[in-house]
Structure formats: structure tokens, C-alpha cells
């Protein structure tokens, strides 16, 4: 199947075919329309259809043996070509694609290849119909037309090949992968397309059409297989060679621009939709060098020796200056086709002098406005700081970056005829720059981020002191006269910045750089600051709403990836004030992008002190109130006032600069009386969500009644509120009830998107309150939201429309988000809710676990996993049993996400069992059904063989269950086999190649199981496997966290008998001693941060074994503690006893504690050592040999104690 072409272009008219007028060639030119008729010239649509039907019927009635065949074909072709079938007309075209395919297939058999004039007209008809009617061909039609055009290229004269290739390019548009034989013939070494598209081809028209045809072959339509990599590489090399080749002599600039456009389009098609496959060395550098040169095609005054290859480098690669050219006579300059590069262009009227109508603006935009833009002297000099001999180099300043298209120049020096030619050339050059940027965007998306980082300096300025500013994307953004080109450059810059957090994380300029050299971190920081400066200037100067939106989006990408906690403060403060007026911009997309930028600011390394102070500043600081944040100082800008209400189309530079001067760009100081007030950004977002618009533009069709903000703006405002609550909850908590009312109101609306984001806002608020009450956060009671207020807050929410959202089966995403909201209730507040409210929450969640939608089921199972830890619910045996049954059923679900959350909830449920065993005692264990425990044990064992995301919590549950089992249950025959299977599942996981998180959870689970004194560790057949697995990983695993967990597990058994015979005990000791000796041998450098924690845990484990050792163990212990190994152990133990409390314990968020250490104070450690020494001293040896070995161990401990007591 095929889609008709939009990039293919018409051939030039020739005397042999007089009905076609001469048209400009362009890769994006409008389809060929003979007679130039537009929609308004058509009498009616029915006339066009009737004309097509009549001609089609006559053509289908013709036979190849007809006497008047040539004349009739010629006449019918002319009639069909004279009609305009463009679907962009106001009246719809109803000609069926099937009719067109039948017509073309039949006609191809009527036109013999020896009638070349008819062949040309038929090829023009193929292009005309397929292109204007956007016909999707069937396979048979594709084969017929491909074979016909291929044969025409072989048999017809060269003068016909331009039209034949044009038709072929239309036929193969997006079908290159289906035309295997054709592609093989055309792209072979002696193929027609390779010959015609070669830079050595003298016929520029043939070269252009051949490149267009090749580009269409490379195009991949979604759903179609890509072109074979071999042929893509052939086309890629030819496109690149075309871009690198100089303009042939005596070639018109317009024709050459069209050739470059076709090559750029083909290169873009080669790169789109996949990864880079064309080599990583000079190939990439060559492409980037060619694209960078073409990004500045036609830029006035540039005289630069562009490099052929760009190499990866941390510093900018400055383009060399061309030698100065001799002065030309005025006549030569006027006749030159590049006179516009040094001459002055007419200035564009400023916005204050008058307003164009919409049609005038669109026409100016279509012509790209190149012929009306002035160019400042610094840009005419080259934009790279080029200067004459003896000229001093000016320091980079804001003047250089100020957009050139904002400055006016004198009137045009061209005559009308010359002006039209120059204007047309500028349009074509603008199109080249635009396509080069499209190609660059495809490169950025295709090349791996890490590879692209080496080329940053060629496209992003770093503002080096004392060096000329380089030509970068910012140069285009600030100086190109075309809004579309500026938009493309912003899109490329956004794509480069997107996902660059890991690269930019190295940036830092908080300290002064060394004078001897500039660190790479400082260079990155300088690049970030230069990006801020350039984009801020673009923000102030941009008038196109579409381009302005992209400027703000680009700033959002920059803010989301830059490490502001490592940079000097002030960047976000200046940006904060500059974007504030745009919240009331008349264009809805601009308002939405501004809110998205605010969201990026409040999520950047939150909580950031600079942003915290910005949020606390009063509303009237830095630009007035929210509703009138722009004080218009320029009388020429007074047109923005409509009926007394300001509606800025853009931020006036004068006002913004005044604000920048009046208020320091550094951190603002917040008055004390404003500390407890709600952040102004929160108030703004609340007003945007709930309040009617103060002013409404004509384009939004405002009626008599006040309307709310459009849905995109309200959604962005709700997202900003969520980000604000998540990152700066202490500032937002004063607006608890206000946010609750906003969420309740939005949940009651009919728009599911508004409901969804309001539910997420409630979830974030609930999560913030829970974080305050976590013990590890140590938030003072005076700063917490009081529990009684939390109870009132959730009472209002749960009595509102949240119930309807929970039962909204038409929108499962909303249901899932509502479940997450229920899971974010503070446990202390849940206990104080009315009983019926508690019952409602539990009942709804239990019911939603039976739904078929996996999103809802996942969220409901997770919420139950949260509720099972609530103190008011966890001792309720019936609730525990009901939740367990729900989780067991979810563990068998076919969806992996459901099983993963079910395993997580099962882990929480087993945590509850352990807590109840410790707090309630045997009574709770006896109330819980033995069969339910057995089912949980078996289900967790099966889940331990599932995927890693399920397995990591399944092994946690197994450890808890093995710890929870009573002696009466362990001895029952029905538990014997499941218990052994559970332990062996843990052992297998420890020894497996699973994710490290899974393995350290399995190690911890074995240690948890060892805490159960009822387990027969000394006699069970699986016991030896468990200890062997832990001993193996503690010495050999590359991950230090796994070693830590395994060492802690080996130190858990509280009795010597649990370690089995002397051989097993010795194996454990040797493994721990070897692990301590190798505790600094890390394969991965990142593991070194856990080495101190590893040594701490290993030292504890060795001392634990010494405290439990018996006389039969003395032989192994004395041999180990003697000699070089003993000296190493002693050194590590001395460091262990010298550690302060808490030292050596690396904090690991969300993980279990390493071991069950009871005393961490150095004095308590020494006390335990003294107890161990006293116990070993009191041991009585039955044989003399044992006494000597015991004395050696006692002497080691006495020496250790003496050294430690001297500290």
C-alpha cells in the first residue's frame, strides 16, 4: 500500500509540453497545478468530478489498436491535468482511490514507451492524481506503475527522465521496502538514480528529482518495514556527499537550494525511526559538520571556513575565518546572487507602530519574513567575533545575544525585480536552514545520548572569557529572522537537553575555579548559565506565540536537568520573575507551558533553598500582583489593554528589564510576617483552577458569561500544585483545607482528566502528611499538621465525590488513582475516622480487587497492603485473614504488575504478623488459621520463582513466615515439605544471578528465619545448604550490600548448636575472616561507599561467633587468630571498637537493618568483649591440647581488650 507524495516536486515545463508553466523546484513545493486554478475558480465540485468521470470513462473505453489513440490520449491527458483535485479546497473531493488506481493501471497499457511525449504526460498525470488526491495504492497498482516507470527510464530518452523520476518518486513514497527489485536496480553502482543524483551530474534538474526520488524510497510509513540497511547506507552516503559538495559553477542559487533541500529531506528519512547505524567515528562528525554549516545557510555576513568534520571535544571548536575578500565594484555586488549576505535588508515594522491583519500576518509568516528583517553589525561581521587586523576583541555581552530580528535597518537598496529575486532566494535559504535543523533533530534522537555529549560544545555555548562567541543553536534562536527556523532550533535544543541530567550533574561553580586551568565542571556550569542568558533574551524578544511556547518548553527541559544545588544561586530567581507575567498571556498554549516551567522549577532538586525563598516572597514583590503582574511602561505597548484589563501578548522588555534592575537577581529576602502565608504560586494555581478568567481573548470565543480557564491550563495548574505539595510541603500545609476544597470541586466535575489530577493532588497531600509523622524524619510536633485537622480534612474528602470516582468503571485510571488516594490517609487519622467511614474504605478496596482491569486491581491490592500496617487494623484477625485471601488470589493473576503489588502487600502482611507476635504474643498466633499460614507459605514459595519484581518481596515474605511459625506448626507433617521448599527457594535465590536487590532481600530473609528458635538448624537437611550459600556470597559477591546482608544473617543464630558441628562452625568463621580481609577489594568503584558498613557488620559477626564458641572450636579459632591473618583481624576489630555510635552503618533508604545489634555504643561493645573473654576463660578443657588452644584465643582477646581500653 502507498500514500501519495507531498515532498515530491513538479518538473520544469519544456517547450514540448506547452501547457505546463515553469515552476520553482522545491522539496516542499505545492503539488503541480496546471493553470494555477485555486478552489475559488472552480465552478462547483460536481463539475470537477464529472470531468474526471467523463475522462476516466473515455480512457477506459480506449483500446491500444485505436486509430486516433495518440490524439485522444493527448486531449484526455490535458483535460485531466487542467483540473485541481487538491483536498485542501473548501469543498470535499469524493473521487474514490479505487477509480484512480483502475484508471492509471489501464492507461499505462495504452501509452507505449516509444511515444515519449505521451509518456511524459502520463507521468505528469500519475504525479498529479496521486499527489493531489492522496491516493493509497493497492499492491497491483504499485507493481504496474513501478514497472512502467522503471522501463521508461531504461528505454526513453534522457529528456523524459525528469518527469519519469517525478512520477516514480510519487509512486515509491513510503514504499521503498516493498519495491525490492526496483531498489536493487536503481541503487546499484550503475543505477540510474545514483548516476543522476551524483554531485558530478551537470543537469541540476535531474539531480534534484533523483534525490527526491531517493528520499521517498528511504521514507518509512508507520507500520511498514524499514528499507534494507545496505540500501539505506548507500542513500545516506550519497545524501551526505551532496551536502558536503560545493555549489557547481554557473548554477543558480535557487536550483542549488532545492538540491540541498532534497538531500536534507532524504538524510532525515534515513535517520528517522531508528538508532544510528552509519558508524560512530568521522561519519557522525561529518554529518554534524554539514548540518551545522547548513543551519546558517544564507546568514548575512558570514565568512567562515567550516570544518568538514566535528570531533568530540570538551571545548568549543571555533570555525576558522576566511581570508578577507578584495573589494568589489558596486555593479558586481548588485549582480551577485549573494548580495543579500552583505547588504542591508529592509526593517520590519515594530509591534508598537501598527497591527497587521491575520491574513497579512499569515502571509508574512509563510514568506518567513526574511525580506523584512534587519541585521545588526555584529551578526553581519560573522557572529563569531571576526575582526580586522588590529581590532580589539570585544567581550561577549548581552548586546551580541540580543535578537537581530528585533532591530530595524534602512529601506531596501534593491529594485522591485531584484528585491523579488532576493526575497525568493531568502525563502529558499530559510527552508534549507529549517530542514537542516529537522535533520539535526533526527540525529539527536537517533544517536545515543552518551555519544552525543562529546559534541555539545559545538552546538551549545560555554561563554569562555576572552574568546569570540561561537556559532551555536543560541545564535539561531536569537538572530534568525524566521520564526519557523527559530522554532526548529528550539526543538533541537530541547531534544539535546532532554535526558541530559546525568551529564549536567557534573556541573559546579559554587567555588572559584583555579587560575591554572578551567575544570570541566566549571565549563558545564558556564554553559548552563549561557543557556539561561540566551533563552531569557529570547523569552523577552519573541513575538510568535508558537515559538514563544517552545522557548518556555526549552527552559523547562533546562531546569529539569540542571543541578542547581551545585550552582551559584540566582538563575532560578531571575527566571522566576521573567516568566511570571506570561501566566496571563492571551495564548492558552503559552499559559500552559509557563505552568509546566513552574512545575519544573519546584521539582528541581526539591526542596531547593532558592526556590523556597521565592515561594515565600509576597505577591507584590517582583512585578506586582498576580492579576496585574506587568507594569507597562512603554506607551507603544498600550494596545494590550483591553477594556482596562491587561492581557499581555508577551513580556515587554522594558518592564522585565526594569524589574531585573529594581530587584536583585539573587535570593530575595522574605519578610517575617509573610513566613506563614501560603505560597503565591499555590494561590495562583488555585485561582487558575477555580476562578473565571479575568480577561478573554477573541480567539477563545468568550461569550457573555465568564468561563473558567481552558482544560490544558487547569490541568497544568493541578500538576504544579502536586509538585509544590510534594517538594515543599511545609510551605503548602497551611493551605490544607483550601487544597481539599479545590480537589473536592474538581472531583465533582465531568472531565476525567481534571478528576484524575485532583485525585493525584490529594494523594500527594496525604503522602506529605505521612512523611511528617514518620519517626525517622524527626519533625517537631509544632510543625506537623495536627491530627485533628487531618481527620477533618479526610472526613470532607471521603464524604464528597471521591466515592463516585472509586466506582467510575468507565475510567479505570481514575479508579486506580482514587485507590492510591485512600492509601495516603495518615494511620493516626484513619483510626479517628467514624467507623462507617473506615468500613467504607475497606469494603471498597476489597471489592475493587475483583475487577478485571489490572490498573484498578493493582492499586486496590497495594492500598490493602498499606492498610494492613495500620495499628488500628493489624490486630484484627478477621481483617488480616480477609486481606491475606485477597492477596493470595492476586498472586495468581496473569498480570505481572498485579503479582508484584500482591507480593509487596504480602510482605507487609507478614511484617504485621511479626509485629503482632512481638506485641500481642501467642494469642494472635493461635487465632490465625494454620491452613491460611500454610497457603501463604506455599504462595510465597511459588512467587519466589517469578520475575524479579515479584521475587524481591516474595522472599521477604518467606523470611517473615519462617520466623512466625510456632514449634507446634513446624513439627506437623503437613508443614514439613512446604517449610523445606521455602528455605530451598531462599537458598536458590541467594545463589542465583537475579537482581542484587532480590539477593540481599533473600539473605536478609534467611537471617530472619534463623531468629526462629523452633527451626531445627542443627539437624535439618536444608540447614547445611543455607549456611553454605551465605558463606559463599559473603566472600565472592561483587555487590557489597549482598555481603552485608549475608554477614548479618550468619550472625543471627543465638546458640552454638544452631551452627551445627565443628566443621560448619569453622566454615562460617573462615568465610567471615576472608570477607573481612577482602572488604576493600571492590570490582565496582561505587561499592567502596559500603566498605565501612561491610567491615562493621563482619566484625560484629566474628565477635558473635567468638561469644558462642566452645572448646571444640578452639583449634580452628586459634589457628586463624595466629599469624598474619590474626593481625589483620585484630586491626579491623580495633577500628570497630574505636568507631563512634552509628559510625560505619551506611544508611540505606527503604531497606531492612543490617543486623540485630543491641548495643552500638563503644563502651557497650567493650562490655560484650569482656563478657566473651570471661566466658572463654571459664571453659574447662578436658585435654591438654584444648587448653593450649583456648589460651591462645584468650590471649588474643586480652590483648585486644587492653589496646581498646587505652583509647
Amino acid at each position: 500500500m502507498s500514500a501519495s507524495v507531498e515532498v515530491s516536486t513538479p518538473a520544469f515545463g519544456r517547450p514540448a509540453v506547452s501547457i505546463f508553466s515553469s515552476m520553482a523546484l522545491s522539496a516542499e513545493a505545492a503539488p503541480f497545478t496546471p493553470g494555477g486554478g485555486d478552489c475559488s475558480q472552480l465552478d462547483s465540485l460536481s463539475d470537477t468530478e464529472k470531468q474526471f468521470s467523463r475522462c476516466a470513462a473515455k480512457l477506459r473505453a480506449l483500446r491500444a489498436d485505436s486509430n486516433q489513440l495518440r490524439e485522444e490520449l493527448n486531449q484526455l491527458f490535458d483535460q485531466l491535468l487542467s483540473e485541481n483535485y487538491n483536498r485542501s479546497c473548501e469543498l470535499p473531493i469524493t473521487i474514490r482511490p479505487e477509480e484512480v488506481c483502475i484508471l492509471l493501471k489501464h492507461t499505462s497499457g495504452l501509452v507505449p514507451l516509444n511515444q515519449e511525449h505521451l509518456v511524459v504526460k502520463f507521468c505528469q498525470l500519475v504525479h498529479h492524481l496521486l499527489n493531489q488526491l492522496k491516493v493509497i495504492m493497492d499492491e497491483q497498482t504499485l507493481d504496474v506503475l513501478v514497472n512502467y516507470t522503471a522501463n521508461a527510464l531504461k528505454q526513453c530518452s534522457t529528456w523524459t527522465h525528469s518527469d519519469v523520476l517525478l512520477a516514480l518518486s510519487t509512486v515509491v513514497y513510503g514504499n521503498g521496502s516493498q519495491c525490492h527489485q526496483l531498489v536493487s536496480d536503481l541503487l546499484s553502482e550503475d543505477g540510474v538514480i545514483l548516476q543522476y543524483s551524483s554531485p558530478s551530474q551537470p543537469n541540476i534538474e535531474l539531480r534534484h528529482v533523483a534525490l527526491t526520488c531517493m528520499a521517498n524510497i528511504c521514507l518509512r510509513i508507520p507500520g511498514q518495514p524499514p528499507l534494507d540497511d545496505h540500501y539505506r547506507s548507500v542513500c545516506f552516503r550519497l545524501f551526505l556527499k551532496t551536502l558536503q559538495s560545493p555549489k557547481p559553477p554557473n548554477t543558480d542559487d535557487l536550483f542549488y537550494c532545492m538540491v540541498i533541500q532534497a538531500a536534507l529531506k532524504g538524510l532525515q528519512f534515513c535517520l528517522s525511526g531508528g538508532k544510528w547505524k552509519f558508524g560512530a567515528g568521522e561519519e557522525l562528525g561529518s554529518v554534524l559538520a554539514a548540518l551545522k554549516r547548513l543551519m546558517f545557510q544564507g546568514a548575512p555576513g558570514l565568512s567562515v571556513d567550516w570544518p568538514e568534520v566535528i570531533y568530540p571535544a570538551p571545548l568549543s571548536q571555533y570555525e576558522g575565518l576566511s581570508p578577507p575578500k578584495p573589494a568589489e565594484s558596486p555593479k558586481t555586488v548588485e549582480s551577485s546572487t549573494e548580495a543579500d549576505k552583505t547588504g542591508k535588508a529592509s526593517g520590519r515594522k515594530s509591534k508598537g507602530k501598527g497591527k497587521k491583519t491575520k491574513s497579512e500576518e499569515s502571509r508574512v509568516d509563510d514568506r518567513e519574513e526574511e525580506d523584512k528583517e534587519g541585521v545588526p553589525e555584529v551578526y553581519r561581521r560573522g557572529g563569531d567575533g571576526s575582526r580586522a587586523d588590529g581590532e580589539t576583541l570585544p567581550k561577549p555581552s548581552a548586546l551580541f545575544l540580543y535578537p537581530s530580528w528585533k532591530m530595524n535597518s534602512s529601506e531596501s537598496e534593491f529594485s522591485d525585480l531584484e528585491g523579488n529575486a532576493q526575497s525568493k532566494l531568502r525563502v529558499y535559504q530559510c527552508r534549507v536552514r529549517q530542514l537542516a535543523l529537522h535533520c539535526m533533530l533526527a540525529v539527536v534522537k537517533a544517536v545515543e545520548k552518551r555519544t552525543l555529549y562529546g559534541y555539545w560544545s559545538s552546538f551549545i555555548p560555554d561563554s569562555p572569557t576572552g574568546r569570540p562567541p561561537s556559532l551555536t543553536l543560541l545564535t539561531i534562536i536569537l538572530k534568525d529572522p524566521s520564526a519557523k527556523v527559530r522554532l526548529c532550533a528550539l526543538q533541537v535544543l530541547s531534544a539535546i537537553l532532554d535526558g541530559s541530567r546525568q551529564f549536567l550533574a557534573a556541573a559546579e561553580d559554587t567555588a572559584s575555579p583555579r587560575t591554572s586551568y578551567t575544570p570541566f565542571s566549571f565549563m558545564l556550569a558556564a554553559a548552563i548559565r549561557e543557556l539561561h542568558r540566551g533563552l531569557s533574551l529570547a523569552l523577552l524578544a519573541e513575538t510568535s506565540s508558537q515559538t514563544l511556547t517552545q522557548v518556555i518548553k526549552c527552559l523547562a527541559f533546562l531546569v529539569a536537568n540542571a543541578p542547581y544545588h551545585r550552582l551559584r544561586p540566582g538563575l532560578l530567581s531571575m527566571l522566576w520573575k521573567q516568566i511570571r507575567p506570561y501566566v496571563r498571556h492571551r495564548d492558552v498554549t503559552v499559559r500552559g507551558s509557563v505552568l509546566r516551567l513552574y512545575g519544573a522549577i519546584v521539582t528541581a532538586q526539591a526542596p531547593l533553598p532558592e526556590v523556597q525563598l521565592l515561594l515565600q516572597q509576597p505577591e507584590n514583590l517582583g512585578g506586582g500582583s498576580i492579576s496585574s503582574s506587568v507594569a507597562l511602561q512603554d506607551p507603544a505597548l498600550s494596545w494590550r489593554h483591553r477594556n482596562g484589563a491587561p492581557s499581555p501578548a508577551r513580556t515587554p522588555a522594558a518592564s522585565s528589564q526594569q524589574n531585573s534592575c529594581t530587584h536583585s537577581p539573587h535570593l530575595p529576602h522574605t519578610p517575617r510576617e509573610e513566613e506563614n502565608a501560603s505560597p503565591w504560586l499555590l494561590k495562583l494555581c488555585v485561582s487558575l483552577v477555580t476562578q473565571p478568567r479575568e480577561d478573554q481573548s477573541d480567539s477563545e470565543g468568550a461569550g457573555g458569561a465568564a468561563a473558567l480557564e481552558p482544560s490544558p491550563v487547569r490541568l497544568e495548574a493541578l500538576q504544579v500544585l502536586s509538585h509544590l505539595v510534594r517538594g515543599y510541603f511545609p510551605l503548602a500545609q497551611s493551605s490544607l483545607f483550601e487544597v481539599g476544597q479545590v480537589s473536592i470541586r474538581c472531583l465533582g466535575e465531568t472531565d476525567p482528566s481534571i478528576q484524575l489530577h485532583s485525585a493525584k493532588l490529594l494523594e500527594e497531600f496525604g503522602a506529605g502528611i505521612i512523611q511528617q509523622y514518620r519517626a525517622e524524619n524527626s519533625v517537631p510536633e509544632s510543625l506537623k499538621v495536627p491530627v485533628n485537622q487531618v481527620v477533618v480534612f479526610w472526613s470532607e474528602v471521603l464524604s464528597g465525590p471521591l466515592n463516585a470516582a472509586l466506582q467510575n468503571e468507565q475510567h479505570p485510571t481514575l479508579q486506580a488513582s482514587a485507590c492510591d488516594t485512600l492509601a495516603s490517609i495518615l494511620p493516626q487519622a484513619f483510626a479517628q475516622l467514624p467507623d462507617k467511614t473506615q468500613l467504607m474504605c475497606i469494603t471498597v478496596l476489597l471489592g475493587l480487587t475483583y475487577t478485571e482491569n489490572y490498573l484498578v486491581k493493582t492499586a486496590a491490592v497495594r492500598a490493602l497492603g498499606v492498610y494492613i500496617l495500620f495499628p488500628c487494623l493489624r490486630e484484627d484477625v478477621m481483617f488480616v485473614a480477609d486481606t491475606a485471601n485477597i492477596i493470595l488470589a492476586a498472586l495468581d493473576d496473569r498480570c505481572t504488575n498485579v503479582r508484584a503489588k500482591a507480593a509487596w502487600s504480602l510482605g507487609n502482611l507478614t511484617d504485621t504478623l511479626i509485629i503482632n507476635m512481638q506485641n500481642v504474643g501467642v494469642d494472635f498466633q493461635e487465632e490465625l488459621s494454620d491452613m491460611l499460614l500454610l497457603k501463604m507459605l506455599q504462595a510465597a514459595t511459588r512467587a519466589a520463582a517469578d520475575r524479579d519484581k515479584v521475587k524481591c518481596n516474595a522472599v521477604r515474605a518467606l523470611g517473615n513466615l519462617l520466623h512466625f511459625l510456632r514449634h507446634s506448626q513446624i513439627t506437623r507433617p503437613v508443614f514439613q515439605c512446604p517449610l523445606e521448599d521455602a528455605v530451598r527457594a531462599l537458598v536458590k535465590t541467594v545463589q542465583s544471578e537475579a537482581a542484587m536487590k532480590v539477593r540481599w532481600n533473600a539473605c536478609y530473609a534467611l537471617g530472619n528465619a534463623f531468629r526462629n528458635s523452633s527451626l531445627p538448624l542443627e539437624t535439618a537437611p536444608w540447614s547445611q545448604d543455607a549456611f553454605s550459600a551465605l558463606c559463599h556470597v559473603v566472600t565472592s559477591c561483587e555487590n557489597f550490600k549482598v555481603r552485608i546482608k549475608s554477614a548479618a544473617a550468619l550472625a543471627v543464630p543465638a546458640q552454638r548448636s544452631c551452627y551445627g558441628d565443628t566443621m560448619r562452625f569453622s566454615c562460617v568463621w573462615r568465610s567471615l575472616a576472608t570477607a573481612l580481609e577482602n572488604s576493600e577489594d571492590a570490582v565496582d568503584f561505587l561499592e567502596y561507599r559500603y566498605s565501612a558498613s561491610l567491615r562493621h557488620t563482619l566484625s560484629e559477626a566474628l565477635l558473635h561467633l567468638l561469644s558462642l564458641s566452645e572448646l571444640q572450636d578452639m583449634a580452628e579459632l586459634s589457628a586463624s587468630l595466629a599469624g598474619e591473618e590474626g593481625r589483620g583481624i585484630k586491626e579491623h576489630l580495633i577500628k570497630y571498637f574505636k568507631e563512634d555510635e552509628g559510625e560505619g552503618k551506611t544508611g540505606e533508604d527503604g531497606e531492612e537493618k543490617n543486623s540485630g545489634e543491641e548495643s552500638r555504643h563503644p563502651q557497650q561493645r567493650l562490655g560484650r568483649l569482656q563478657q566473651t573473654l570471661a566466658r572463654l576463660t571459664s571453659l574447662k578443657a578436658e585435654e591438654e591440647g584444648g587448653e593450649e588452644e583456648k589460651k591462645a584465643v584468650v590471649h588474643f582477646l586480652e590483648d585486644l581488650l587492653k589496646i581498646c581500653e587505652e583509647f
Side-chain angles (χ1 to χ4, degrees), residues 745-911:
R745 171 175 174 172
C746 292
L747 278 172
E749 296 187 15
T750 57
D751 187 347
S753 299
I754 297 292
Q755 292 176 306
L756 176 63
H757 284 81
S758 60
K760 290 184 179 296
L761 176 58
L762 286 174
E763 180 189 352
E764 293 294 346
F765 226 111
I769 297 173
I770 292 174
Q771 286 295 327
Q772 281 191 337
Y773 279 84
R774 290 190 186 278
E776 60 267 21
N777 290 335
S778 303
V779 178
E781 289 293 331
S782 59
L783 299 181
K784 296 179 181 177
V785 180
V787 175
N788 60 338
Q789 292 187 14
V790 182
V791 173
V792 174
F793 172 79
W794 283 113
S795 297
E796 293 182 357
V797 171
L798 295 174
S799 61
L802 185 62
N803 288 333
L806 286 166
Q807 300 172 20
N808 192 342
E809 297 181 357
Q810 287 75 25
H811 301 286
T813 306
L814 176 60
Q815 278 185 293
S817 183
C819 291
D820 294 336
T821 302
L822 288 184
S824 64
I825 301 176
L826 182 70
Q828 295 90 320
F830 187 87
Q832 297 184 25
L833 289 173
D835 291 342
K836 64 177 182 179
T837 304
Q838 296 184 23
L839 183 61
M840 182 272 295
C841 294
I842 296 171
T843 304
V844 169
L845 291 177
L846 290 173
L848 288 177
T849 59
Y850 293 98
T851 185
E852 293 297 326
N853 187 277
Y854 78 95
L855 289 175
V856 181
K857 184 181 291 188
T858 302
V861 170
R862 175 192 171 274
L864 288 174
V866 173
Y867 278 22
I868 199 65
L869 294 174
F870 283 8
C872 61
L873 297 176
R874 67 189 179 202
E875 296 180 7
D876 186 343
V877 178
M878 294 301 298
F879 174 71
V880 172
D882 290 342
T883 303
N885 287 318
I886 291 293
I887 293 173
L888 292 177
L891 279 173
D892 293 329
D893 195 272
R894 65 178 181 272
C895 177
T896 304
N897 290 335
V898 174
R899 298 198 305 274
K901 287 303 178 184
W904 179 82
S905 298
L906 181 62
N908 286 2
L909 188 147
T910 54
D911 287 342

Side-chain angles (χ1 to χ4, degrees), residues 979-1042:
L979 189 150
E980 182 175 354
D981 292 341
V983 176
R984 294 197 182 280
L986 292 178
V987 171
K988 183 179 179 181
T989 305
V990 169
Q991 297 173 332
S992 68
E993 297 297 328
M996 292 303 172
K997 182 177 180 180
V998 177
R999 297 181 69 185
W1000 77 59
N1001 274 1
C1003 291
Y1004 180 85
L1006 280 176
N1008 201 4
F1010 290 169
R1011 299 179 193 279
N1012 190 343
S1013 58
S1014 300
L1015 286 178
L1017 294 180
E1018 63 276 11
T1019 60
W1022 45 259
S1023 179
Q1024 177 63 36
D1025 296 337
F1027 279 103
S1028 298
L1030 292 173
C1031 290
H1032 176 71
V1033 297
V1034 80
T1035 58
S1036 62
C1037 186
E1038 297 179 358
N1039 187 279
F1040 276 17
K1041 287 186 181 180
V1042 177

Side-chain angles (χ1 to χ4, degrees), residues 284-326:
L284 178 58
S286 300
V287 171
L288 294 177
L291 293 180
K292 184 173 182 179
R293 174 175 58 84
L294 294 172
M295 289 177 194
F296 295 91
Q297 178 80 9
L302 278 186
S303 180
V304 176
D305 288 332
W306 297 96
E308 294 185 1
V309 182
I310 295 178
Y311 295 98
L315 291 174
S316 300
Q317 302 173 46
Y318 296 96
E319 293 76 16
L321 304 178
S322 298
K325 297 180 180 179

Side-chain angles (χ1 to χ4, degrees), residues 409-529:
S409 62
S410 61
E411 296 298 327
S412 174
E413 298 176 355
F414 300 117
S415 65
D416 291 341
L417 183 59
E418 293 172 331
N420 289 337
Q422 293 299 324
S423 174
K424 192 172 184 180
L425 177 60
R426 278 192 290 268
V427 171
Y428 276 64
Q429 290 172 337
C430 167
R431 184 58 180 160
V432 169
R433 299 197 300 273
Q434 188 176 348
L435 285 173
L437 288 165
H438 281 316
C439 232
M440 182 66 190
L441 182 61
V443 172
V444 172
K445 293 180 178 180
V447 177
E448 186 180 358
K449 287 285 185 183
R450 185 174 300 181
T451 304
L452 203 61
Y453 290 152
Y455 300 93
W456 267 49
S457 57
S458 298
F459 298 94
I460 295 178
D462 55 8
S463 185
T465 304
R467 295 177 180 175
S470 57
L471 299 174
T472 63
L473 289 171
L474 272 186
T475 313
I476 302 173
I477 293 169
L478 292 169
K479 295 182 174 299
D480 199 287
S482 167
K484 291 184 179 180
V485 175
R486 298 195 299 271
L487 177 64
C488 292
L490 286 163
Q491 290 173 340
V492 173
L493 182 56
S494 299
I496 293 176
L497 292 173
D498 187 19
S500 63
R501 182 177 304 172
Q502 184 179 3
F503 177 65
L504 294 179
E508 184 174 14
D509 67 352
T510 53
S512 300
R514 299 181 182 182
T515 56
S516 58
Y517 70 96
T518 302
F520 179 68
S521 60
F522 194 83
M523 292 166 50
L524 273 181
I528 293 174
R529 291 189 175 278

